Amino acid sequence: MTSPSRRTRAAGGLSRRRFALVLPSALLAAGCAAPYRGTGRPGDPIVLTLLSHYASGELKDALQGPVDEWNATHDRVKVRTKAVEFTDLLTTLMVRQAAGQGADILHPYCLWNGQLVRAGVLRPAPSEHAEEIRRGYGGAAVGAASVGGTVYGYPTEVQTYALYYNKRLLREAGVAGPPRTWRELEQTAYRTARRDRYGNTLVQGFGLSTYDDSTTVGQTLALLNAAGGRFVSGDGRSTAIDSPAGRAVFDLELRLVTEGASSPGVNVYKAFASGQVAMVVSAGWWTADLKGLMGKDYRDVGVAPVPVPAVGDRRATLSTGFMLGVNAASEHPREAWEFLRWLNTEKVGVKSAGKGATATRMSTLQVSVGSLTGRADDMRTLLGAGGDPNLRPFLDALAYAVPEPNVPGAQQAKSLLRKNIEALWTGQQSVDEALRTTRRQVDQEVSRSW
């Protein structure tokens, strides 16, 4: 996902998710601390614990708002939030479950759902909730919240990928607008790239970067989906990247590096914000960060759909996301699901969107921090109220995005793909070698995980 969103702060103030799964000793202590649960007797309400990665700042405050509203209006069931940094979330989920101290309500990255289901952590959504989820959310969001066709939770933030571009850099290079095809993408990348007389990169035409999962894997998979390819096969038991579409993507990226339009060693998040990258494929979470980093220069930022190989090709891109589900070991699943229904499906008034406008609490929460949900109707309402127009291509992509595969071995498969992409970009592997190695390693991982 890619790291899929901006839920932790990294160096330079940029927010990124990392997948460090090493468990610090402090986390072991926190993971084994027993959460308080009420008995439900009169005067002693049931207390549900909600574990998320919304650990600080605007995200923590945004989630606490509706939780406080629930607690103020419900006497029988209360909700208490607990949070860890995203880098510790998967490990915390697994450790607390093994210790018998799992939270009632969990907020996992959907990439992990297959692993969590296999480990007996997630409870399938009851039929009435599953029907509500299928009816209310886009296909990519429902797919991400499901494993083997079974729905396990309510989608929360959903991140689709699109093409960010710097209008000023394109204009200065004589390019009228963002590319629509891969040929136009390459031409624009070569025209906007600039180096000094010593060969040092001044401007990347297209921002390939080894900085994190989102820039290495996320945009590669977005381009792969746009070419009609897939990373993992439909049955989830093998990789599908060693295909004509996969080869085309790897060839494209290698040409961009070889011809000097891309410099993978550059931190693309800093470079784009400082006007040193003309184009990059990334997720919608980035818009809020760019506003803060760029100030008035944010007016130079445009967003367009991910280019497709040729005119007339069907659009597709990558989506990543999170969901709220119920722990299989919770003693109060009915109450937990009822809270999730209230948070994710009940509509409330949105004054800023005009008289009579309504949206769910979760959609309102996500838009308040510059994100989206998989509820297109909510998003149209909320973004129509003076929202950032750069978010609209991400909203449109909800209709054609492809969710990350979330088979049990998905996290390791993603890490293996990243290593091979980086080996390709740095000249350690040819396209043939990168495809073959990825296929062999990922096939071994996902087949073992079932």
Side-chain angles (χ1 to χ4, degrees):
M1 219 207 198
T2 141
S3 46
S5 116
R6 61 193 176 95
R7 301 316 189 213
T8 58
R9 292 282 167 191
L14 294 173
S15 325
R16 301 303 309 142
R17 286 191 173 109
R18 304 277 185 92
F19 292 95
L21 302 182
V22 177
L23 183 65
S25 58
L27 180 57
L28 275 170
C32 296
Y36 169 77
R37 289 189 176 88
T39 65
R41 292 192 298 267
D44 188 9
I46 294 169
V47 178
L48 302 173
T49 53
L50 188 164
L51 176 64
S52 77
H53 57 291
Y54 289 2
S56 61
E58 62 180 3
L59 288 163
K60 181 179 180 180
D61 294 340
L63 177 60
Q64 196 60 47
V67 169
D68 288 345
E69 179 189 353
W70 169 276
N71 288 337
T73 55
H74 293 77
D75 295 328
R76 175 75 171 167
V77 178
K78 305 293 184 181
V79 176
R80 176 179 297 171
T81 60
K82 293 179 176 291
V84 297
E85 294 296 336
F86 179 78
T87 50
D88 295 326
L89 182 57
L90 178 58
T91 307
T92 304
L93 291 171
M94 301 297 286
V95 168
R96 286 186 174 177
Q97 194 75 6
Q101 303 297 340
D104 297 283
I105 299 170
L106 309 174
H107 194 195
Y109 175 27
C110 290
L111 181 75
W112 306 332
N113 283 349
Q115 179 177 344
L116 294 173
V117 168
R118 185 184 60 177
V121 176
L122 291 174
R123 181 186 297 267
S127 58
E128 63 272 23
H129 291 270
E131 291 171 9
E132 200 157 23
I133 291 164
R134 291 191 180 100
R135 183 171 59 248
Y137 295 84
V142 175
S146 303
V147 176
T150 299
V151 177
Y152 282 88
Y154 283 91
T156 56
E157 61 174 292
V158 173
Q159 301 292 342
T160 56
Y161 278 64
L163 180 78
Y164 287 86
Y165 62 98
N166 186 304
K167 300 174 187 177
R168 176 182 59 80
L169 292 176
L170 266 63
R171 185 171 59 249
E172 290 175 354
V175 179
R180 295 161 296 178
T181 65
W182 287 8
R183 182 178 181 181
E184 292 178 358
L185 175 68
E186 280 197 78
Q187 291 173 339
T188 302
Y190 299 143
R191 291 178 66 171
T192 53
R194 288 169 43 212
R195 292 178 178 267
D196 64 19
R197 60 178 180 168
Y198 302 106
N200 299 312
T201 299
L202 298 176
V203 174
Q204 283 196 75
F206 186 77
L208 297 178
S209 177
T210 59
Y211 182 70
D212 69 356
D213 281 343
S214 184
T215 53
T216 306
V217 177
Q219 67 176 344
T220 297
L221 293 186
L223 290 167
L224 178 67
N225 292 339
R230 295 294 180 268
F231 177 34
V232 175
S233 62
D235 63 8
R237 297 175 185 273
S238 63
T239 182
I241 199 169
D242 190 2
S243 65
R247 180 176 297 278
V249 173
F250 279 21
D251 279 337
L252 170 66
E253 293 181 343
L254 184 59
R255 285 196 304 273
L256 290 168
V257 174
T258 302
E259 297 298 322
S262 298
S263 300
V266 173
N267 179 341
V268 73
Y269 295 111
K270 291 183 178 180
F272 185 89
S274 60
Q276 296 173 307
V277 174
M279 300 176 293
V280 64
V281 172
S282 194
W285 63 265
W286 201 18
T287 57
D289 272 14
L290 287 173
K291 284 182 185 179
L293 288 167
M294 298 180 70
K296 62 182 178 58
D297 289 336
Y298 181 73
R299 64 191 176 192
D300 291 332
V301 177
V303 178
V306 174
V308 293
V311 175
D313 286 351
R314 179 179 297 181
R315 285 181 180 171
T317 188
L318 176 70
S319 73
T320 64
F322 282 72
M323 69 162 212
L324 280 166
V326 176
N327 194 326
S330 173
E331 297 175 3
H332 307 290
R334 184 176 63 83
E335 291 82 0
W337 284 114
E338 187 52 40
F339 168 74
L340 293 183
R341 186 203 301 271
W342 175 89
L343 179 64
N344 293 282
T345 72
E346 186 176 302
K347 300 273 187 170
V348 295
V350 182
K351 293 181 181 179
S352 60
K355 187 176 181 180
T358 61
T360 64
R361 292 175 176 86
M362 179 54 68
S363 290
T364 304
L365 182 165
Q366 292 297 334
V367 169
S368 76
V369 295
S371 186
L372 302 175
T373 69
R375 286 187 170 276
D377 55 342
D378 281 356
M379 293 301 101
R380 283 190 288 268
T381 297
L382 293 164
L383 297 182
D388 184 352
N390 277 340
L391 285 175
R392 292 195 170 275
F394 300 102
L395 168 60
D396 295 341
L398 290 173
Y400 58 79
V402 178
E404 278 185 300
N406 61 5
V407 297
Q411 177 61 76
Q412 181 62 16
K414 186 174 185 178
S415 298
L416 292 168
L417 175 59
R418 177 180 176 180
K419 290 179 180 178
N420 285 293
I421 292 171
E422 292 178 352
L424 172 70
W425 292 351
T426 55
Q428 299 173 58
Q429 289 184 358
S430 66
V431 169
D432 284 339
E433 290 169 337
L435 289 170
R436 284 199 306 267
T437 304
T438 300
R439 181 183 61 194
R440 175 176 54 80
Q441 293 177 343
V442 174
D443 282 358
Q444 182 179 11
E445 182 62 33
V446 298
S447 63
R448 180 176 64 236
S449 298
W450 281 97

